[in-house]
Amino acid sequence: MKDSEHIIQAINRGDIEAFKQVYALYYSVLVTYANSILADSEDMGEDIVQDVIANIWEAKTQFASYSSFKTYLYNAVRNAALNHIKHQGAADKYIEYLQYEYTPFDYSGVNVEEIYRQLFALIDHLPYRCREIFLLHMEGKRNEEIARVLQLSVETVKTQKKRAMAYIRANIDKSLLYE
Amino acid sequence: MEYIETIIVKYLTGTITDTENDVLQQWLSSSAEHRKLFEQICNDTTLVARYRSYAAIDEVAAKRRFLARVYPQKLHTFVRRTWRYAALLIPAVLLSLYVYMNREVEPAPEFTLTEVQPGESQAVLKLDNGFEMSLDSTSKSIQFDESVTAEMMSGTITYMPRATKSTIEYNTISVPRGGEFRLTLSDGTRVHLNAESSLRFPVVFTGGERKVQLTGEAYFEVVPNSSSQFIVEVAGTRVRQYGTVFNINAYDGRPEVVLVSGSIGVTTATAGAEVRLAPGQRAFCDDKIMVTDVDVASYIGWTKGRFTFDNRRLDEIADILTRWYDTPIEIDDKSVAEMRFTGSVSRSATIHHIMNAISYAQGVEVAVVGDKIKIYK
């Protein structure tokens, strides 16, 4: 059995360790997702995600597979965020627009939030200097520019970029589950 | 079969293999919607900003909140245990009741915690002739004379000597509350100045000594030079380096020197002989110099964009946060001031993240009262 199915079984059993793992893996990205929907009332994102996860625990929600668990998380957070906006008296048209705009599963069947999650978890675990260099690289900065901004040699920038990519290669398949 | 999400991540990070690229291309050519979505992701200019807000979220504090919620029985033991001590508190309760009855109406909060922005790169450069220039994150070049120029870019200033000089000219860089600044001295030594700190240094180093004067806190990466010692003078203490990385914190006038790597010697006016530090040691310079082994990470976390507190008192933490967020924090209750907090939080987030972390971990309340933040039971 795959690790991902182990964690689902543990969640179904109500194993607290599995829930701790959910925090490490999903909490931050779900809050970012909620906040992107909430826009103005940003400090609600954390509360919404807390409620969603605690509700799984309290209601002893069961999941058939890892992917149904993921779908549930993103959908539940999205719906809770939309509800929050509705309660604040937003116009129906606006809610409709948000519902369309923030479907976690794109019409193409791709979960964009899941891309962010994997990408961010990988970046987050790079050593500090390596990470700053890689972020500038992702912003489209050239090696020379990065070297100037961070006061490093171009050689150092190149080595650190290589290190970042080697780390990502080594860990990306694990990042599906573990941080 | 790998998920298409993971393959896209590999593409974005430049770690995709040829076989995976084939899968991606096939997926792209199978539908126009796939291509549209893929282009959107690749051209997303907010990706890095999104990562930054992701990184600012404290999932460890959130996990603790969750555990407190689903394990309320732990709280019960706490309440039971506390109840025993509650009797002792009755006089205090009566007193606070009295204070409460006679209180002035509390001023309304003038801001919310999420509005308190972190510090940013800013400083003031003062020349010998009294001329002042403000430094920020913009790029510019400063010409002093033919012997030296300084280049400014994204919160750093770099001194580049062009020729040697006979007269010594000094510059002072002062960082206000809510600020930090990095500089590279003419010998290549790098200094990261924390909030409410200043450094006075010769524009170009000459002679057998490289001497600078510090107030507040700074992190040094000194370029070794056997013919010219690097000396930091701070609050009556001298730190002499032998090719080295170290942090000095002298906010309260008693320098705390932590050695990261290399070797340094510390002397004070009263202590007499020089005390040599090994990496991982801290010298606390009061009347005497006390040396202890420490976890270096918690002393230099700020240079990596984090607050790292290892069993620090809340009143000390409040001072540190006040300097960075430029917002007064008040703790009236002595027992709260003496609580100890351990944790690490990003310095680039608004103040409510660290306040939440402290509030959940210590079970204290945090509120904005008038123009200040109060921490209380």
Side-chain angles (χ1 to χ4, degrees):
Chain A
M1 204 188 322
K2 278 163 66 182
D3 291 338
S4 54
E5 303 304 331
H6 276 299
I7 197 176
I8 294 312
Q9 291 201 334
I11 286 170
N12 288 346
R13 280 199 307 273
D15 180 343
I16 197 77
E17 291 306 316
F19 279 82
K20 287 185 188 166
Q21 190 130 38
V22 170
Y23 272 87
L25 291 170
Y26 283 96
Y27 183 77
S28 295
V29 84
L30 289 173
V31 172
T32 334
Y33 178 48
N35 284 341
S36 71
I37 301 173
L38 292 166
D40 286 341
S41 40
E42 272 220 2
D43 51 337
M44 285 303 298
E46 298 220 29
D47 290 352
I48 283 174
V49 177
Q50 281 285 12
D51 282 347
V52 165
I53 301 176
N55 190 50
I56 296 177
W57 168 275
E58 281 154 7
K60 300 190 168 55
T61 314
Q62 305 286 302
F63 301 96
S65 67
Y66 188 57
S67 73
S68 68
F69 171 67
K70 280 202 292 198
T71 315
Y72 174 89
L73 277 183
Y74 289 115
N75 279 333
V77 166
R78 165 174 161 270
N79 292 337
L82 290 175
N83 264 339
H84 176 77
I85 297 173
K86 226 181 271 179
H87 282 141
Q88 289 187 322
D92 289 348
K93 276 262 173 278
Y94 181 57
I95 302 285
E96 254 171 57
Y97 154 77
L98 287 175
Q99 247 157 4
Y100 171 77
E101 187 66 24
Y102 289 101
T103 312
F105 289 87
D106 193 79
Y107 33 78
S108 56
V110 172
N111 184 342
V112 183
E113 296 304 319
E114 187 61 17
I115 295 178
Y116 291 138
R117 184 181 78 81
Q118 295 180 22
L119 181 64
F120 292 169
L122 288 163
I123 296 176
D124 218 30
H125 281 75
L126 294 172
Y128 174 74
R129 191 157 72 156
C130 205
R131 180 169 67 224
E132 290 305 313
I133 289 171
F134 197 71
L135 286 171
L136 288 170
H137 163 67
M138 290 214 61
E139 279 180 316
K141 298 246 185 336
R142 286 175 301 111
N143 288 349
E144 292 73 22
E145 257 176 291
I146 300 174
R148 234 182 18 201
V149 171
L150 298 178
Q151 302 196 346
L152 300 167
S153 70
V154 177
E155 275 313 305
T156 312
V157 172
K158 282 188 195 161
T159 340
Q160 293 286 343
K161 254 170 67 180
K162 270 188 213 144
R163 263 184 73 189
M165 286 181 191
Y167 173 85
I168 289 169
R169 260 185 220 111
N171 289 283
I172 191 160
D173 296 315
K174 286 183 238 158
S175 79
L176 259 180
L177 243 192
Y178 297 109
E179 287 209 317
Chain B
M1 166 62 198
E2 226 169 341
Y3 292 101
I4 193 71
E5 285 92 349
T6 309
I7 292 183
I8 295 176
V9 172
K10 287 184 178 175
Y11 176 86
L12 289 173
T13 51
T15 57
I16 195 164
T17 63
D18 289 347
T19 3
E20 286 159 351
N21 198 30
D22 290 345
V23 178
L24 177 65
Q25 294 310 325
Q26 211 175 4
W27 181 79
L28 286 175
S29 59
S30 70
S31 124
E33 282 175 349
H34 290 179
R35 284 193 295 280
K36 194 174 145 211
L37 174 75
F38 183 70
E39 261 163 46
Q40 262 173 25
I41 296 169
C42 292
N43 298 324
D44 185 357
T45 50
T46 62
L47 206 62
V48 171
R50 203 180 165 105
Y51 167 74
R52 299 264 183 219
S53 53
Y54 162 95
I57 296 165
D58 190 343
E59 78 279 357
V60 177
K63 185 174 71 190
R64 237 178 273 139
R65 248 193 313 163
F66 168 77
L67 293 175
R69 176 167 163 178
V70 302
Y71 276 146
Q73 62 269 30
K74 270 193 188 160
L75 276 180
H76 288 155
T77 7
F78 174 72
V79 170
R80 233 181 292 132
R81 211 181 297 151
T82 315
W83 188 238
R84 255 180 266 153
Y85 298 104
L88 300 172
L89 291 175
I90 288 172
V93 171
L94 289 177
L95 178 67
S96 46
L97 204 59
Y98 173 79
V99 173
Y100 179 78
M101 308 283 271
N102 291 283
R103 81 199 193 280
E104 286 172 28
V105 179
E106 282 196 342
E110 292 176 11
F111 54 86
T112 64
L113 291 179
T114 44
E115 285 167 3
V116 181
Q117 296 299 322
E120 57 193 5
S121 290
Q122 53 168 325
V124 175
L125 170 64
K126 208 170 159 189
L127 309 184
D128 258 356
N129 60 15
F131 182 79
E132 285 187 8
M133 196 179 312
S134 70
L135 308 176
D136 50 31
S137 299
T138 54
S139 309
K140 58 183 146 195
S141 168
I142 305 167
Q143 292 287 336
F144 291 100
D145 50 32
E146 66 285 353
S147 71
V148 62
T149 57
E151 200 65 55
M152 255 178 67
M153 176 181 276
S154 65
T156 64
I157 184 165
T158 306
Y159 284 79
M160 286 170 295
R162 302 256 177 264
T164 49
K165 269 184 91 151
S166 47
T167 55
I168 300 179
E169 242 176 77
Y170 284 90
N171 276 187
T172 304
I173 290 187
S174 310
V175 181
R177 279 188 179 194
E180 64 177 334
F181 216 78
R182 285 171 237 252
L183 65 153
T184 306
L185 301 173
S186 64
D187 64 339
T189 288
R190 290 200 282 192
V191 187
H192 189 159
L193 276 171
N194 206 346
E196 220 172 13
S197 304
S198 76
L199 189 77
R200 183 169 185 267
F201 53 93
V203 178
V204 182
F205 287 115
T206 46
E209 260 183 6
R210 296 173 286 169
K211 203 190 286 179
V212 300
Q213 279 105 29
L214 171 74
T215 66
E217 179 166 26
Y219 176 77
F220 290 88
E221 285 178 23
V222 178
V223 171
N225 178 348
S226 54
S227 63
S228 173
Q229 287 190 327
F230 194 95
I231 294 169
V232 184
E233 291 179 336
V234 54
T237 300
R238 280 171 143 242
V239 180
R240 191 203 304 262
Q241 72 75 40
Y242 303 88
T244 295
V245 180
F246 56 97
N247 192 73
I248 302 181
N249 177 336
Y251 283 122
D252 68 354
R254 293 173 302 176
E256 198 175 41
V257 185
V258 172
L259 180 60
V260 180
S261 67
S263 163
I264 51 179
V266 181
T267 44
T268 65
T270 47
E274 182 177 273
V275 176
R276 288 288 278 264
L277 286 193
Q281 285 189 327
R282 178 193 79 147
F284 183 74
C285 313
D286 209 347
D287 296 334
K288 285 188 295 186
I289 299 176
M290 278 179 297
V291 177
T292 44
D293 290 334
V294 294
D295 173 17
V296 172
S298 70
Y299 289 86
I300 63 166
W302 70 272
T303 67
K304 316 237 182 295
R306 297 193 76 79
F307 291 113
T308 315
F309 299 122
D310 182 13
N311 207 21
R312 275 300 265 279
R313 285 169 56 123
L314 282 197
D315 52 357
E316 290 171 8
I317 291 176
D319 287 345
I320 293 169
L321 296 179
T322 294
R323 278 193 291 271
W324 183 239
Y325 288 98
D326 192 13
T327 303
I329 301 172
E330 223 174 65
I331 309 176
D332 292 332
D333 189 329
K334 191 158 169 277
S335 69
V336 176
E338 287 172 351
M339 285 179 176
R340 286 175 183 273
F341 175 77
T342 298
S344 169
V345 177
S346 166
R347 258 167 56 113
S348 55
T350 62
I351 202 166
H352 97 284
H353 288 279
I354 176 87
M355 284 301 166
N356 273 352
I358 291 174
S359 152
Y360 295 132
Q362 313 295 139
V364 292
E365 301 285 331
V366 177
V368 180
V369 178
D371 60 352
K372 43 170 112 50
I373 296 169
K374 284 197 173 187
I375 306 179
Y376 54 95
K377 267 202 219 157

